[in-house]
Amino acid sequence: MTIFKAESLATETERMDAVLEKQKSAFLAEPFPELSIRINRLNKIHNILVDHRDDFAKSIAKDFSSRSQSETELAEILPLFEGIAYYRSRLKRLMKPQKRRTPLMLMPASVRVVHQPVGVVGIVVPWNFPLFLALSPLVGAIAAGNRAMLKTSEYAPHTGSLLQKVISENFSDDEIAVFTGGVDTATKFTQLPFDHLVFTGSTHVGRMVMKSAAENLTPVTLELGGKSPAIIHQSFPIDEAAKRIAFGKGINSGQVCVSPDYVLCPRHKINQFCDTFAQTIRNAYPTLLDNEDYTAIITEAQKERLQQVLIDAKEKGAELLTINQADEDLSGSRKLPMTLVLGATEDMRVLQEEIFGPILPIIPYDDLNKALEYVNQRPRPLALYYFDWDKARSEKLLKSTHSGGVCVNDTMSHVMADDIPFGGIGPSGIGQYHGEEGFKTFSKAKGVVRKGRINVTHLIAPPWGNLNFRGLQAFQNLRFRKRRTD
């Protein structure tokens, strides 16, 4: 972790202030960028990814000490290409004013909605996907016609430095600017009077970011996390569920805001689930220590936190099933083996905190309604995963639970669906981006009423109670008479 002196922090703060002022001035000079300008900026981001995809994969691997280039391609680079392509093909339609219904009282007139860029968007980038979670909201902000400032994570310094370099080579400061630095710099960043602020991180820090933004009445999009459950219906093939959950949990060693946090499994199938899950992990990662396919924990502090969660569970009576096929000593690395936790109780940290690592509690249930009650009694998660071939039952579950997003018979893939919104609810987040909803998040939906040359308002103008007004009132009373409620 880099230590920043007070002078460098002051200099960086001054630079942030200056860049924000520059971007706001540039936005006033170009408050509604044309389609061609937005497409050109999206193409620049696309080309940055094409030119530097290997560089980004290597920088991310350095930040984690070990992460596969294939995993970075799958989880970060390819979804960004898809997101850029989505906006590039739909921007013309999204930018077009939307016609709306004209009420009788306003006729003759036209009513429409214009989506106007909000201005300058601030983006606070987390460490777990330091490329995707930097550029994904940026793509939405640029598509909507905004300018943007990014603050990268101090825990991913190699990626942050590379991103700062390539952005500065392709964009002027008054378009897009990237800032690195530590916690103090991030704190100052969130206090800036942006026109919109995006933060991805923990619920605890999200509360502080929202307080900072409130000082400037800055609208926020908070992408947080929470404990995302996976629920397996008793009729679903348990081996198939275990394999699909294992794939999702293995991505980035569970360091994902939408990673399955715990599994609600039919009691009589727990042993079979654990056996298949463990074998799937062993097949995917036969070794851990020198295997770049198995992602390391981002810092020693994070690894220590996860180890303490396991110690706490074991001391309070839980059974730990550690999946370490080669029985390697990982003490000198930042690798942590996947561990299943059986017999977890509510007084254990493993059920109280978002895990954000390769630890998965398996909780037995006997009745699906009780399992849903367990989920609904807890803070609303960022994601919910349900395994059931029965579509009617799945639809019923969708309507009886609240979560930011849902995958049926899969985990985490909803994040890669560009045409649906991504975002949490309550403790798992506020607001959303991706797709059309992302365009709207970074836009001001401005209602516009336009009157023509014909003006009929004078026909009902005061003095009130004139014949025309009484006629209009009688007609409206007939339209809006009482309706049946039984």
Side-chain angles (χ1 to χ4, degrees):
M1 179 176 173
T2 305
I3 304 298
F4 293 87
K5 296 181 180 179
E7 308 86 60
S8 63
L9 176 60
T11 303
E12 191 72 348
T13 301
E14 290 171 1
R15 191 170 83 85
M16 287 191 294
D17 289 333
V19 170
L20 178 59
E21 190 63 35
K22 188 186 297 185
Q23 290 202 2
K24 290 200 170 191
S25 296
F27 177 74
L28 288 175
E30 187 188 57
F32 197 92
E34 297 297 326
L35 174 64
S36 60
I37 294 173
R38 303 185 195 197
I39 294 292
N40 186 57
R41 288 171 179 164
L42 291 175
N43 286 343
K44 283 186 178 183
I45 298 173
H46 173 98
N47 291 341
I48 286 172
L49 291 171
V50 172
D51 293 338
H52 298 281
R53 63 195 306 167
D54 290 340
D55 298 329
F56 276 118
K58 290 174 182 176
S59 69
I60 291 170
K62 285 182 181 178
D63 287 329
F64 277 89
S65 80
S66 177
R67 192 167 95 171
S68 167
Q69 180 167 344
S70 298
E71 189 163 283
T72 295
E73 284 275 339
L74 176 68
E76 303 213 47
I77 295 174
L78 292 178
L80 286 171
F81 280 130
E82 292 283 359
I84 294 168
Y86 173 89
Y87 281 121
R88 196 164 44 210
S89 64
R90 291 166 176 81
L91 252 185
K92 185 176 181 179
R93 176 181 63 83
L94 293 173
M95 291 174 64
K96 187 178 180 180
Q98 298 176 359
K99 292 183 179 180
R100 299 295 177 92
R101 174 185 169 273
T102 304
L104 178 65
M105 299 285 289
L106 295 182
M107 290 182 179
S110 67
V111 176
R112 60 196 172 108
V113 174
V114 176
H115 286 95
Q116 183 177 20
V118 295
V120 180
V121 176
I123 301 170
V124 182
V125 185
W127 52 261
N128 60 326
F129 291 104
L131 180 62
F132 177 72
L133 292 175
L135 296 188
S136 182
L138 175 65
V139 165
I142 293 302
N146 299 285
R147 291 155 194 271
M149 294 169 57
L150 289 74
K151 167 61 183 73
T152 63
S153 172
E154 68 272 23
Y155 297 118
H158 296 94
T159 308
S161 295
L162 177 58
L163 188 63
Q164 186 179 57
K165 175 179 178 292
V166 297
I167 289 293
S168 65
E169 289 172 349
N170 289 271
F171 294 94
S172 62
D173 272 358
D174 65 6
E175 291 178 297
I176 304 172
V178 177
F179 298 85
T180 58
V183 174
D184 290 339
T185 304
T187 300
K188 295 291 184 182
F189 187 88
T190 61
Q191 294 169 350
L192 294 173
F194 293 112
D195 298 299
H196 195 99
L197 180 63
V198 181
F199 169 81
T200 305
S202 70
T203 302
H204 170 69
V205 178
R207 290 191 177 97
M208 294 189 290
V209 169
M210 194 169 182
K211 286 181 180 178
S212 294
E215 291 296 319
N216 297 307
L217 294 179
T218 299
V220 295
T221 297
L222 303 180
E223 297 301 343
L224 307 178
K227 300 184 74 62
S228 297
I231 307 169
I232 308 170
H233 190 267
Q234 61 180 355
S235 67
F236 194 87
I238 197 68
D239 291 338
E240 185 65 22
K243 291 174 184 176
R244 297 186 186 198
I245 293 172
F247 176 81
K249 187 66 177 180
I251 297 294
N252 214 32
S253 285
Q255 298 169 101
V256 190
C257 57
V258 291
S259 182
D261 194 276
Y262 63 93
V263 175
L264 286 162
C265 180
R267 188 180 301 274
H268 63 288
K269 294 187 175 183
I270 280 187
N271 289 339
Q272 185 180 351
F273 175 89
C274 292
D275 290 345
T276 303
F277 182 97
Q279 190 56 51
T280 303
I281 294 295
R282 293 188 192 104
N283 293 341
Y285 314 106
T287 62
L288 304 179
L289 186 60
D290 297 320
N291 184 356
E292 69 170 15
D293 286 347
Y294 192 74
T295 304
I297 306 304
I298 188 68
T299 63
E300 286 292 344
Q302 283 294 324
K303 181 180 179 181
E304 173 65 19
R305 178 188 67 82
L306 292 166
Q307 289 173 325
Q308 288 301 316
V309 167
L310 290 173
I311 290 171
D312 173 79
K314 187 173 182 179
E315 289 179 346
K316 293 175 179 175
E319 179 185 359
L320 306 184
L321 301 179
T322 303
I323 307 171
N324 184 353
Q325 170 84 342
D327 195 27
E328 296 169 288
D329 179 6
L330 306 177
S331 58
S333 75
R334 297 212 305 262
K335 299 286 183 77
L336 189 69
M338 185 71 69
T339 303
L340 298 177
V341 181
L342 299 177
T345 55
E346 293 301 318
D347 62 332
M348 298 177 186
R349 291 176 60 184
V350 74
L351 292 187
Q352 296 173 351
E353 305 172 9
E354 181 181 7
I355 293 171
F356 222 75
I359 300 170
L360 187 64
I362 313 299
I363 302 172
Y365 79 85
D366 300 301
D367 178 77
L368 181 62
N369 289 328
K370 292 293 183 182
L372 297 183
E373 186 178 303
Y374 180 91
V375 172
N376 286 334
Q377 287 175 344
R378 283 153 179 77
R380 294 172 175 179
L382 184 56
L384 184 146
Y385 306 119
Y386 181 57
F387 293 82
D388 190 350
W389 298 135
D390 189 290
K391 291 184 178 180
R393 240 184 345 246
S394 300
E395 288 301 311
K396 184 178 179 180
L397 177 133
L398 289 175
K399 295 173 181 176
S400 62
T401 57
H402 276 284
S403 61
V406 175
C407 285
V408 179
N409 305 326
D410 199 11
T411 65
M412 306 205 303
S413 55
H414 65 296
V415 180
M416 298 186 184
D418 295 294
D419 206 16
I420 60 175
F422 174 70
I425 177 171
S428 62
I430 295 173
Q432 55 204 2
Y433 61 98
H434 291 190
E436 183 171 342
E437 287 78 8
F439 181 87
K440 291 178 178 178
T441 288
F442 299 119
S443 303
K444 171 65 179 77
K446 181 187 291 186
V448 179
V449 174
R450 182 183 180 87
K451 289 269 190 172
R453 295 180 184 278
I454 299 174
N455 178 28
V456 298
T457 305
H458 70 278
L459 297 177
I460 61 168
W464 302 119
N466 61 68
L467 182 61
N468 291 327
F469 183 85
R470 291 201 307 272
L472 175 64
Q473 192 174 39
F475 177 70
Q476 295 289 55
N477 288 342
L478 184 63
R479 287 182 65 207
F480 302 130
R481 63 188 182 277
K482 291 183 71 171
R483 303 294 180 178
R484 291 181 59 179
T485 58
D486 56 339

